Amino acid sequence: MTTLTLNLDTYKCQALLDALKDSERNWRDMHFDAKTGKRPGMSPEGAMMIIDDLVDLINQVKSQTAN
């Protein structure tokens, strides 16, 4: 595991959260497409793993900003 330290002002922190949430929404769309056969080369399980990682990152950033 690697520790990453960022010193962000409020606006940059919100921009990071917005970007992570936007990426999560995009992956959820791709996950749906994979499950419904619109993306036959994509693994729904792999997409879900990426979504889980993004949700974890979002929660970590939120917990750091709450302090």
Side-chain angles (χ1 to χ4, degrees), residues 9-24:
D9 62 31
T10 304
Y11 300 106
K12 289 178 184 175
C13 186
Q14 189 59 51
L16 175 60
L17 279 171
D18 291 345
L20 289 168
K21 289 176 184 178
D22 188 49
S23 184
E24 179 196 358

Side-chain angles (χ1 to χ4, degrees), residues 2-8 16 64:
T2 300
T3 300
L4 177 67
T5 302
L6 298 172
N7 294 313
L8 304 174
L16 175 60
Q64 293 298 311

Side-chain angles (χ1 to χ4, degrees), residues 58-67:
I58 291 166
N59 289 333
Q60 286 183 48
V61 172
K62 282 182 179 179
S63 73
Q64 293 298 311
T65 58
N67 295 332

Side-chain angles (χ1 to χ4, degrees), residues 33-66:
D33 289 348
K35 284 183 73 172
T36 58
K38 293 180 184 174
R39 291 179 180 261
M42 179 181 273
S43 160
E45 295 82 8
M48 198 64 226
M49 290 172 62
I50 293 172
I51 293 166
D52 291 341
D53 287 345
L54 285 164
V55 168
D56 185 48
L57 280 169
I58 291 166
N59 289 333
Q60 286 183 48
V61 172
K62 282 182 179 179
S63 73
Q64 293 298 311
T65 58

